[in-house]
Amino acid sequence: DPKDPDTLCDLGCAMSTMPPSAAAEPEDEGGAERCYKMALAVDPGHVHTLYNYGTFMYRKGDLAGTERLYSRALETDPKNAVVLSELAALVGRHDEPRARS
């Protein structure tokens, strides 16, 4: 169902593990990002999509995007332990002091 955020989120998760197809944008591993965006268009506060999309962005190296998506998930569900833990770990990595040479 193209209007069900759970289905779209699940599809995004499945597609993120598939190799990119010729039809997909090279940076959109198998169309996963498109599915996550479609799910959020239907339900902008869908916590599972925000979390999974954030994890997808982390794997792509977009830490700012990851932090933004995790923060949005916490706006909807502030007591979500998984998202809280992941966001704390992410922010902790940003705040680590850099070695000086």
Side-chain angles (χ1 to χ4, degrees):
D1 180 3
K3 299 239 182 214
D4 179 32
D6 290 320
T7 301
L8 291 165
C9 180
D10 290 346
L11 186 58
C13 289
M15 291 180 127
S16 71
T17 62
M18 300 166 73
S21 70
E25 296 295 321
E27 67 278 357
D28 183 10
E29 301 165 16
E33 190 163 14
R34 193 169 0 137
C35 290
Y36 292 135
K37 287 180 177 181
M38 289 170 62
L40 292 174
V42 174
D43 182 357
H46 194 259
V47 174
H48 295 295
T49 300
L50 291 164
Y51 173 72
N52 288 314
Y53 189 12
T55 302
F56 172 82
M57 297 301 278
Y58 179 81
R59 287 194 306 259
K60 286 178 57 172
D62 184 351
L63 301 183
T66 301
E67 186 173 348
R68 180 179 48 81
L69 289 160
Y70 286 175
S71 295
R72 282 180 54 198
L74 289 175
E75 288 173 13
T76 301
D77 185 4
K79 294 183 181 185
N80 187 305
V82 173
V83 179
L84 278 168
S85 174
E86 293 292 331
L87 182 59
L90 179 69
V91 170
R93 277 179 246 154
H94 284 304
D95 292 341
E96 289 177 1
R98 308 218 189 263
R100 293 185 182 157
S101 48

